[in-house]
Amino acid sequence: MGWAMRSVEVRGVTKRYWAEAGEAFDALGGVDLEAAAGEFLAILGPSGCGKTTLLRMIAGLEEPTTGEVRVGGRAVTGPGPDRSVVFQQPALLPWRTAAANVAFPLEVAGVPRQERRRRVAELLSLVGLEGFERAYPHELSGGMRQRVDLARALATRPDVLLADEPFGALDAITRNAMQEELLRVWRRDRTTVLFVTHSADEAVFLADRVAVLAPRPGRLVGVVTVDLPRPRDRTSAEFVALRREVLDLLKPGSRGHAPRVGG
Ligand SMILES: Nc1ncnc2c1ncn2[C@@H]1O[C@H](COP(=O)(O)OP(=O)(O)OP(=O)(O)O)[C@@H](O)[C@H]1O
Ligand SMILES: [Mg+2]
């Protein structure tokens, strides 16, 4: 936890899984990708192209087979308080209320009770869940659980936020509201964000750059720079053109193309 601006560098990273039968499966086949300190990078790609695998390696929850991941210039050797993960399947403690789940990383970090209370209230309101402080995860909808998980991940004000489709289960209106709140926090805390999504619209709305991956093996097919001022107008010609560019990269036909933009 801290206020340092940290870059994320993924250099020549591959990930090979071994099936029970002993067959090799290459989930990632050599990815080079970089997020500058304070950058908002979206990662987009079809199911199974290795997005979660990539995030887990940056989080230090999994080791690359070859290559290296560096955060803030230092090689990742395991999880650390500088990075928070919003998991694709919300990782809430079932025996804790929403408020107590958000408070958990603050307790671990030794944040005093008063400050904890203040931050938990602020975060739950940020994700639109005021009034649900005392609800348990099983009493919340999937989308509400995702929002609690996002609040939990933001609680320690991490230098790097690794978010794996955090808004996947939300309706369009809630999703748009969450996107705006996340941008507000990103701007305030100068967090480096790596944000996995299936939505080209969401990627172009949020990110400074959009990295597009293709599967088998997972690899980078291109990076689109979104050079539009915020707040962005989804209906503008520029927005629509950039979304189309991202969607074109997602088409199976574009597989194997060299990245247009480096890093
Ligand atoms: N622990 C594992 N053991 C074996 N294979 C795995 C393991 N984890 C992931 N894989 C394989 O690696 C590939 C990439 O998986 P990953 O979960 O990273 O994809 P993804 O891009 O996040 O997909 P989705 O969009 O569906 O979440 C998949 O083919 C998956 O089957
Ligand atoms: Mg995934």
Side-chain angles (χ1 to χ4, degrees):
M1 159 168 44
W3 299 89
M5 303 262 291
R6 288 187 206 276
S7 60
V8 173
E9 296 159 77
V10 174
R11 295 279 168 248
V13 163
T14 66
K15 183 68 185 182
R16 170 168 283 190
Y17 288 113
W18 296 93
E20 299 274 325
E23 289 160 74
F25 179 82
D26 291 315
L28 285 174
V31 173
D32 287 280
L33 189 62
E34 186 177 331
E39 182 173 9
F40 199 124
L41 180 75
I43 299 170
L44 200 75
S47 184
C49 72
K51 303 179 296 294
T52 296
T53 303
L54 186 62
L55 277 204
R56 289 178 58 82
M57 289 191 287
I58 298 167
L61 297 169
E62 232 163 295
E63 260 184 86
T65 305
T66 63
E68 193 182 43
V69 178
R70 300 178 80 85
V71 172
R74 295 174 62 175
V76 167
T77 53
D82 56 335
R83 286 153 284 149
S84 286
V85 188
V86 185
F87 293 96
Q88 197 167 357
Q89 314 292 341
L92 300 177
L93 301 170
W95 60 87
R96 281 189 165 230
T97 62
N101 265 287
V102 179
F104 184 66
L106 298 173
E107 290 168 25
V108 172
V111 174
R113 178 190 279 260
Q114 272 312 85
E115 171 68 8
R116 244 165 35 213
R117 284 212 175 140
R118 200 187 58 72
R119 267 205 238 172
V120 167
E122 183 199 42
L123 284 158
L124 283 175
S125 122
L126 181 132
V127 296
L129 287 178
E130 54 276 87
F132 290 93
E133 291 80 2
R134 288 150 175 256
Y136 286 88
H138 75 269
E139 299 172 313
L140 299 171
S141 72
M144 289 161 99
R145 267 179 248 148
Q146 279 190 327
R147 286 183 279 158
V148 174
D149 203 37
L150 174 64
R152 184 217 24 93
L154 290 172
T156 53
R157 300 190 171 161
D159 300 326
V160 178
L161 178 72
L162 304 165
D164 200 351
E165 291 185 53
F167 304 149
L170 302 182
D171 65 274
I173 291 172
T174 311
R175 189 170 185 152
N176 290 3
M178 287 301 109
Q179 291 168 351
E180 277 166 33
E181 292 300 335
L182 178 61
L183 285 177
R184 208 163 58 74
V185 173
W186 167 66
R187 207 170 279 174
R188 183 191 70 189
D189 294 354
R190 319 217 52 138
T191 314
T192 306
V193 180
L194 276 74
F195 187 101
V196 168
T197 174
H198 274 129
S199 159
D201 180 84
E202 180 165 75
V204 173
F205 185 77
L206 290 172
D208 295 317
R209 291 187 306 148
V210 182
V212 180
L213 303 183
R216 272 175 259 228
R219 65 197 184 280
L220 191 66
V221 284
V223 180
V224 174
T225 299
V226 185
D227 198 8
L228 297 178
R230 297 181 177 90
R232 292 177 178 159
D233 173 5
R234 296 174 203 265
T235 61
S236 75
E238 296 90 338
F239 190 100
V240 171
L242 283 165
R243 196 181 58 202
R244 165 135 329 133
E245 200 178 322
V246 169
L247 289 171
D248 282 345
L249 282 172
L250 276 171
K251 282 183 189 152
S254 75
R255 282 177 198 176
H257 279 194
R260 300 176 190 190
V261 187

